[in-house]
Amino acid sequence: MTQAQTLAKGDILAEDTHLITRESLVRYAGAAGDFNSIHYSDQAAKDAGLPGVLAHGMLTGALALQTVIDWLGGDSTRIRSYETRFTRPVVVDASAGAKVVVTAKVGKVEDDSIRVDLVVKCDDTTVLGKTQATVAR
């Protein structure tokens, strides 16, 4: 983004769809060291009273932030802060997976930064709340 670009509150910056599969969960578990069985075992999820195998919350949050990084042309050094709230689980079907849709909008424009507000949904249900990234201009 150049200084010449004019951004206004509400402008859509990016929209991405991320497919989370059971394989994604295994890979993430290995990278993060989070091997909780609710992230790979239907029986463990059922025993815990869950609707199915759940994506790691941090994986969902990372995919949302990736949308901002991609909009920044891959320059993650411009990210000053990031916050989110885990509001609903992402259930990952064994065959279909789960599609997480991220919409990044301008929340606030300041002289030296932009607040990017993210809407993160799975099956038309918001799964992350108050998800915001502040990026340097």
Side-chain angles (χ1 to χ4, degrees):
M1 180 186 72
T2 64
Q3 292 295 339
Q5 286 181 296
T6 304
L7 296 173
K9 183 176 180 174
D11 286 352
I12 295 177
L13 303 172
E15 292 181 297
D16 282 333
T17 299
H18 303 276
L19 177 64
I20 300 175
T21 64
R22 295 283 178 96
E23 180 181 344
S24 305
L25 300 181
V26 171
R27 290 176 183 271
Y28 184 82
D34 181 352
F35 296 102
N36 187 321
S37 57
I38 65 168
H39 299 302
Y40 62 83
S41 168
D42 290 303
Q43 189 60 51
K46 181 180 175 184
D47 291 347
L50 299 170
V53 167
L54 304 183
H56 301 76
M58 294 301 288
L59 172 59
T60 307
L63 291 172
L65 186 58
Q66 187 63 51
T67 299
V68 176
I69 294 168
D70 291 346
W71 172 71
L72 291 170
D75 185 4
S76 62
T77 64
R78 291 178 49 200
I79 296 170
R80 292 186 177 167
S81 67
Y82 179 62
E83 65 182 74
T84 191
R85 293 186 181 151
F86 305 109
T87 56
R88 299 281 186 278
V90 173
V91 179
V92 181
D93 183 78
S95 58
K99 289 183 182 174
V100 175
V101 179
V102 180
T103 303
K105 296 180 182 182
V106 174
K108 186 175 184 182
V109 178
E110 298 193 5
D111 290 339
D112 65 343
S113 66
I114 301 163
R115 189 187 77 218
V116 179
D117 295 342
L118 298 154
V119 177
V120 184
K121 295 185 175 191
C122 182
D123 295 330
D124 294 321
T125 299
T126 300
V127 296
L128 297 179
K130 197 179 181 211
T131 305
Q132 300 175 335
T134 302
V135 300
R137 287 185 62 107

